[in-house]
Amino acid sequence: MPLDTQLNSLGFAKPPAETRVVVAMSGGVDSSVVAAELAREGYDVVGVTLQLYDHGAALAKKGACCAGRDIHDARRVAEEMGFPHYVLDYENVFKDAVIDEFADSYLAGATPVPCIRCNERVKFKDLLETAKDLDADCMATGHYIQRKMGATGAELHSAADANRDQSYFLFSTTREQLDYLRFPLGHLRSKAETRALAARHGLSVADKPDSQDICFVPDGNYASVIEKLRPGAADPGEIVHADGRVLGEHRGVIHYTIGQRRGLGIGGLNEPLYVVRLDVENRRVVVGPKEMLATRTVPVREINWLGNGGFADAGEHHVSVKVRSTRPPTEAVIRPLSATEAEVELLVAEEGISPGQACVFYENGTSRVLGGGWIWRGY
């Protein structure tokens, strides 16, 4: 490429009008602002919204994502800004790739993160391929994360606004996907900036509340969803102290998570007790003192590596990791066991680490996301 070639804001050496970009539109303010901004800059914008589950049930649910109300809002933004908009029926794909695994993971005693699987298996897989079929040069989303060009190609970086950063939910983005994706909001310093842009464009969604993380779980009641999908999943069993004492009866393992203290129904004891293990096979909820929750060793598999070189080639990796989306990164050493498995040693013990959660890797001293994997065994 000649040195004097001018790149547009999406990184292509041609005018915006000749650059087609598919915008994944959830119907919320973030993706709406992305679409509106790119349309204002003169790009050939095509909006696409995925119908992920039943319209009727979702219309009555405030804060739902990718259902009836949001599809209406996305279509309205496209009309306001004057670009085409399509709705794709992905209900079956979403159920097979996300919802079923969510239910099965809970039944196995894990604490899944379905938003990661949705990005990995639906939005950044099937929708991305649809964008290519539409001859788009790239696909843009409203995620708060940054794509930066490094010495060896595109890199993934945390968002400028730490309070909005979504890197934990996007660790499984592959290098090939990263080449094609764009995240125009990642550099913004606050959600207020996003809403100001929406107001500037006169978007009808400018003041729309943020959607909740798990779009298909009404009111955060995971158990009711799982019971509906897997009848008989909430069979009762024993609540057992780690020392073997039977303390009471629970109403189904799916109602409990590692680290839980409230709602155990075993009052009257002299010590505060926490859920330290879920024995699914024997339908037992095992409780113990808080110190039993602390661990420094985290087994991780299905690793997606975005760092330089091969994951298993360089020996140990000294990084920072997040073992839960709400926790700050903590220093750790990754010891690869294969190209996709590793043992992560935390320098300071963390409490409540649960199988089914993600362990996301960050480069020390920078905002770069080095990938991550899935925690697969509890302690």
Side-chain angles (χ1 to χ4, degrees):
M1 181 186 301
L3 293 178
D4 59 351
T5 299
Q6 184 70 36
L7 300 181
N8 62 34
S9 63
L10 294 177
F12 297 99
K14 53 184 176 180
E18 298 175 15
T19 306
R20 174 168 292 178
V21 51
V22 163
V23 179
M25 299 182 69
S26 68
V29 63
D30 299 324
S31 57
S32 296
V33 165
V34 168
E37 279 285 287
L38 293 174
R40 181 191 61 79
E41 291 178 40
Y43 286 98
D44 179 10
V45 172
V46 178
V48 175
T49 301
L50 302 183
Q51 178 190 323
L52 297 181
Y53 54 93
D54 180 67
H55 276 197
L59 275 170
K61 178 184 169 217
K62 294 182 179 179
C65 165
C66 306
R69 180 66 61 193
D70 290 302
I71 291 171
H72 168 79
D73 289 341
R75 181 181 291 117
R76 185 174 175 184
V77 168
E79 291 173 352
E80 291 168 351
M81 297 304 300
F83 58 81
H85 174 260
Y86 301 97
V87 178
L88 305 181
D89 183 354
Y90 273 44
E91 283 194 34
N92 291 336
V93 172
F94 186 67
K95 183 179 184 301
D96 293 343
V98 180
I99 297 179
D100 283 345
E101 184 186 84
F102 172 83
D104 292 339
S105 294
Y106 257 102
L107 290 179
T111 307
V113 191
C115 299
I116 298 176
R117 290 303 196 192
C118 182
N119 290 325
E120 174 188 317
R121 297 176 175 177
V122 181
K123 294 177 182 175
F124 290 178
K125 182 176 179 288
D126 293 340
L127 178 54
L128 190 145
E129 289 304 316
T130 297
K132 291 180 178 179
D133 290 342
L134 291 171
D135 293 325
D137 294 283
C138 64
M139 185 173 91
T141 80
H143 288 105
Y144 287 87
I145 195 166
Q146 298 186 82
R147 174 188 183 274
K148 297 182 179 182
M149 294 306 296
T152 60
E155 298 176 352
L156 203 61
H157 286 254
S158 300
D161 180 4
N163 293 322
R164 305 294 303 178
D165 176 55
Q166 292 176 291
S167 59
Y168 184 86
F169 300 99
L170 297 171
F171 80 85
S172 60
T173 306
T174 66
R175 294 179 190 275
E176 182 181 8
Q177 291 167 346
L178 193 54
D179 284 339
Y180 194 71
L181 290 164
R182 299 295 187 272
F183 309 106
L185 301 185
H187 69 286
L188 299 183
R189 294 290 175 179
S190 70
K191 183 60 177 274
E193 288 188 50
T194 307
R195 293 196 182 279
L197 288 171
R200 186 183 308 166
H201 289 296
L203 300 184
S204 53
V205 296
D207 296 320
K208 185 176 181 177
D210 291 339
S211 61
Q212 65 180 41
D213 280 341
I214 302 180
C215 58
F216 58 89
V217 180
D219 305 318
N221 190 345
Y222 308 133
S224 67
V225 173
I226 297 165
E227 288 182 79
K228 183 178 179 181
L229 293 168
R230 303 289 187 269
D235 290 340
E238 296 176 332
I239 298 178
V240 182
H241 195 284
D243 63 14
R245 288 177 289 153
V246 177
L247 303 179
E249 186 175 272
H250 65 73
R251 53 198 177 93
V253 172
I254 61 172
H255 291 277
Y256 302 85
T257 58
I258 303 296
Q260 180 178 335
R261 179 185 177 187
R262 298 182 183 278
L264 300 181
I266 50 174
L269 300 173
N270 294 327
E271 59 175 332
L273 295 175
Y274 300 78
V275 176
V276 298
R277 186 163 58 90
L278 297 174
D279 182 354
V280 177
E281 186 175 344
N282 296 303
R283 298 206 310 274
R284 286 182 166 183
V285 174
V286 182
V287 298
K290 189 175 183 179
E291 54 264 27
M292 290 190 67
L293 289 171
T295 184
R296 288 181 56 194
T297 306
V298 185
V300 180
R301 62 185 178 185
E302 293 184 60
I303 289 172
N304 177 53
W305 180 245
L306 295 174
N308 298 333
F311 173 67
D313 297 339
E316 295 183 351
H317 301 276
H318 293 258
V319 300
S320 294
V321 302
K322 273 190 178 186
V323 293
R324 193 162 288 179
S325 63
T326 55
R327 295 183 182 177
T330 183
E331 289 190 58
V333 178
I334 305 173
R335 298 188 175 91
L337 302 176
S338 71
T340 58
E341 291 186 284
E343 180 181 89
V344 176
E345 181 184 351
L346 307 176
L347 271 60
V348 178
E350 289 262 355
E351 296 176 350
I353 294 174
S354 174
Q357 295 283 299
C359 180
V360 181
F361 314 148
Y362 299 84
E363 185 175 68
N364 285 327
T366 78
S367 61
R368 187 177 180 186
V369 182
L370 299 174
W374 295 95
I375 301 168
W376 66 275
R377 186 175 64 234
Y379 287 91

